[in-house]
Each structure stands twice: as C-alpha cells, then as structure tokens.
Amino acid sequence: MNNNYEFTYQSPQQKFVLFFAKAVVLVLLADSLYTLGWQDAAVWYEKARAIAGVFMAFWAYSTLLQVRTEIRELFVPPANFSHAKEFMFAALFIYVCDMLRICYNILGLHGIRIF
C-alpha cells in the first residue's frame, strides 16, 4: 500500500499531540539509557530490561516519524506499524524472557521446584 498521500495537512492541535507523543518516547528512551549506562547498582536483568526499553523506544519513535494526519473528510489511512518492527520484536523477546525469570523467582519463593 502506498503511504504517500496527496494531502498531509495537520492542524495545530494534531501537531501538538504528535510532538507530545515524541517527547514522551524520548523521555522513556532517556530513562532506559540512564539505567543502562549510568546506574551502577543495576543488575544484569535490569540492564536487559533497559535494552528492551531502548529497542521499544527506537521502534515507537520511528513509527511516530511516519505519522501523517490526513484531512478526515477525505481519507483516514490505517495505522502502519511496520517501520523498524525488528526493534519491537527484540524488545518483546527480552520482556518475555524477563517475565519468565520473574515467574521462576516467584515459584522459587513458594518452594515449588521446576528443575
């Protein structure tokens, strides 16, 4: 599907919402980078979660860069989340591994032995 449309008008309110969404993603990216690079007390799984946060922020920001708001009366395109989706899949994999680690630790606290 072609993503180049003839109409790319954005109202000031739509531009503000897009700017705010980009700012939120950048703040989350900065938090993940801080945890990854400058927080000495972080253990390996917190660093892995921070890497997943960086991947997710790159994916979200690259998707936000592709947003074009069309004139609603003429055409409203479907959401396209296919930009830099490798970052989303890598972050999802790391988040799932971290969730499994947490579940394993919870079961270990209750005395349930899996292995």
Side-chain angles (χ1 to χ4, degrees):
M1 179 181 194
N2 189 2
N3 288 335
N4 296 322
Y5 304 106
E6 182 178 352
F7 302 102
T8 58
Y9 171 77
Q10 289 182 341
S11 70
Q13 180 184 11
Q14 291 167 334
K15 285 182 184 179
F16 175 75
V17 169
L18 186 59
F19 175 77
F20 182 73
K22 287 180 183 178
V24 167
V25 169
L26 288 177
V27 167
L28 294 174
L29 175 64
D31 179 57
S32 293
L33 289 174
Y34 172 75
T35 301
L36 187 60
W38 290 280
Q39 197 173 32
D40 294 333
V43 291
W44 69 270
Y45 51 84
E46 290 176 351
K47 298 276 187 180
R49 196 176 311 130
I51 291 171
V54 169
F55 284 162
M56 192 63 74
F58 277 136
W59 170 74
Y61 195 78
S62 68
T63 301
L64 287 173
L65 288 176
Q66 302 298 321
V67 171
R68 286 195 172 91
T69 305
E70 308 300 326
I71 298 175
R72 292 184 186 268
E73 295 81 20
L74 298 175
F75 182 72
V76 178
N80 186 1
F81 296 108
S82 64
H83 302 287
K85 62 186 168 196
E86 297 84 10
F87 288 110
M88 181 195 59
F89 290 132
L92 182 65
F93 176 75
I94 294 171
Y95 282 137
V96 167
C97 290
D98 187 54
M99 181 193 62
L100 292 174
R101 181 196 60 80
I102 291 171
C103 291
Y104 180 75
N105 288 342
I106 289 172
L107 291 175
L109 288 174
H110 294 291
I112 301 170
R113 299 286 181 218
I114 296 175
F115 299 107

